[in-house]
């Protein structure tokens, strides 16, 4: 049987990828039941597998390469062979689910990016744990990650804020997510995870990794229901959650 191939940045232990969008697609493939293979690649290899130079990139059994996590899930949810749906069938619930996905992907994501890459002490930890002891790889990761991500974050707007402002934004956003879980185990009170849940879990699973973003981790620790939700999503996808979640 033909397989889908997911090209992504590697993770560590039970963290599927250090990239939240990659983790979201990884969880979606697990939930969907599609036969797939995951290939971890390094930043300098990305252009070899992705036409845009970005990951996640998903190669179909027919050889088509899809990029951008939202577009990838848009494509997957329309496939007839899914074992489990990625989003509700009801139009109103589906619209709400996609709003949660964008809230995670376009709002909380940038808070995490700024805290990882634009805060010098956090960026130093990111570079060290990604590149290891190699001086050359540290320089490469620091250059590629630091320059590109800084430009993107400033263009998006989050990168123009102070560290305190971004942490405050993140904390306020988390309270919105807690409210979204009051009516049931998954966002919007649903009994099954949707795309919003996958995006949120893929992002929040990153927060405690290696203590890279301690202030974000402290903000998340104030909301045990969010850690429980992340574990619940990973369990639904039959994937072990990182032990710090």
């Amino acid at each position: 049987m033909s397989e889908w191939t997911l090209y992504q940045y590697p993770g560590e232990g039970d963290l599927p990828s250090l990239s939240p969008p990659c983790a979201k697609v990884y969880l979606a493939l697990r939930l969907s039941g599609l036969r797939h293979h995951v290939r971890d690649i390094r930043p300098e290899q990305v252009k070899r597998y992705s036409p845009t130079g970005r990951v996640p990139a998903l190669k179909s059994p027919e050889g088509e390469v899809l990029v951008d996590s939202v577009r990838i899930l848009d494509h997957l949810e329309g496939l007839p062979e899914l074992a489990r749906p990625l989003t509700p069938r009801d139009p109103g619930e589906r619209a709400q689910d996609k709003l949660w996905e964008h809230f995670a992907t376009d709002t909380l994501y940038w808070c995490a990016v700024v805290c990882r890459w634009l805060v010098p002490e956090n960026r130093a930890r990111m570079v060290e744990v990604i590149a290891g002891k190699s001086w050359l790889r540290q320089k490469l990761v620091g250059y590629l990650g630091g320059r590109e991500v800084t430009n993107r974050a400033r263009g998006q707007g989050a990168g123009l804020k102070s560290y305190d402002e971004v942490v405050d934004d993140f904390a306020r956003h988390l309270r919105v997510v807690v409210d979204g879980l009051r009516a049931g185990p998954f966002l919007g009170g649903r009994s099954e995870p949707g795309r919003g849940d996958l995006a949120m879990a893929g992002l929040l699973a990153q927060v405690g990794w290696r203590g890279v973003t301690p202030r974000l981790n402290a903000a998340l620790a104030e909301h045990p229901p969010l850690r429980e939700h992340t574990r619940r999503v990973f369990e639904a996808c039959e994937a072990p959650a990182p032990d710090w979640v």
Side-chain angles (χ1 to χ4, degrees):
M1 184 183 295
S2 298
E3 288 189 330
W4 296 77
T5 301
L6 172 62
Y7 298 100
Q8 64 167 24
Y9 290 136
E12 183 179 70
D14 290 331
L15 183 65
S17 173
L18 299 182
S19 160
C22 290
K24 177 177 72 170
V25 175
Y26 169 88
L27 291 172
L29 288 168
R30 302 274 303 189
L31 183 68
S32 71
L34 290 172
R35 186 178 174 87
H36 65 278
H37 169 71
V38 177
R39 181 164 181 178
D40 293 335
I41 57 177
R42 298 188 301 273
E44 63 269 25
Q45 296 176 307
V46 172
K47 290 185 178 179
R48 207 180 299 172
Y49 303 102
S50 168
T52 64
R54 301 276 298 278
V55 289
L58 185 66
K59 185 177 180 180
S60 74
E62 295 74 34
E64 179 186 6
V65 178
L66 307 169
V67 293
D68 182 87
S69 67
V70 174
R71 292 177 65 87
I72 288 172
L73 266 61
D74 283 347
H75 182 84
L76 293 182
E77 74 172 43
L79 297 176
E81 63 266 34
L82 300 187
R84 295 177 67 180
L86 298 179
T87 195
R89 298 189 185 280
D90 176 80
E93 290 186 0
R94 185 165 61 248
Q96 184 185 63
D97 179 44
K98 292 188 178 183
L99 287 173
W100 280 118
E101 179 186 12
H102 283 284
F103 187 55
T105 301
D106 300 329
T107 303
L108 278 88
Y109 170 78
W110 286 106
C111 293
V113 166
V114 169
C115 291
R116 278 182 164 191
W117 289 104
L118 274 67
V119 178
E121 61 268 29
N122 294 349
R123 182 172 65 245
R125 284 191 284 265
M126 280 290 292
V127 170
E128 182 179 357
V129 296
I130 291 174
K133 300 298 184 181
S134 168
W135 177 85
L136 181 60
R137 287 209 69 210
Q138 286 187 9
K139 286 293 185 182
L140 180 63
V141 170
Y143 175 76
L144 291 176
R147 189 182 72 164
E148 179 182 352
V149 175
T150 296
N151 290 339
R152 289 173 55 208
R154 287 177 176 165
Q156 189 272 344
L160 301 176
K161 298 181 180 181
S162 71
Y163 190 15
D164 288 343
E165 288 174 323
V166 172
V167 172
D168 181 65
D169 285 347
F170 187 76
R172 288 189 294 104
H173 298 331
L174 291 184
R175 291 194 288 272
V176 174
V177 183
V178 170
D179 288 341
L181 291 169
R182 294 190 188 281
F186 298 104
L187 290 168
R190 298 182 61 244
S191 59
E192 297 289 335
R195 291 172 55 160
D197 298 283
L198 301 175
M200 200 67 67
L203 186 145
L204 295 182
Q206 315 270 329
V207 172
W209 177 70
R210 294 272 196 125
V212 167
T213 54
R215 293 183 65 184
L216 295 191
N217 196 37
L220 179 59
E222 295 183 10
H223 302 290
L226 297 184
R227 292 185 183 272
E228 294 167 10
H229 171 258
T230 299
R231 287 193 292 268
R232 200 177 297 125
V233 172
F234 271 73
E235 181 180 350
C237 298
E238 299 183 0
D243 57 13
W244 57 83
V245 172

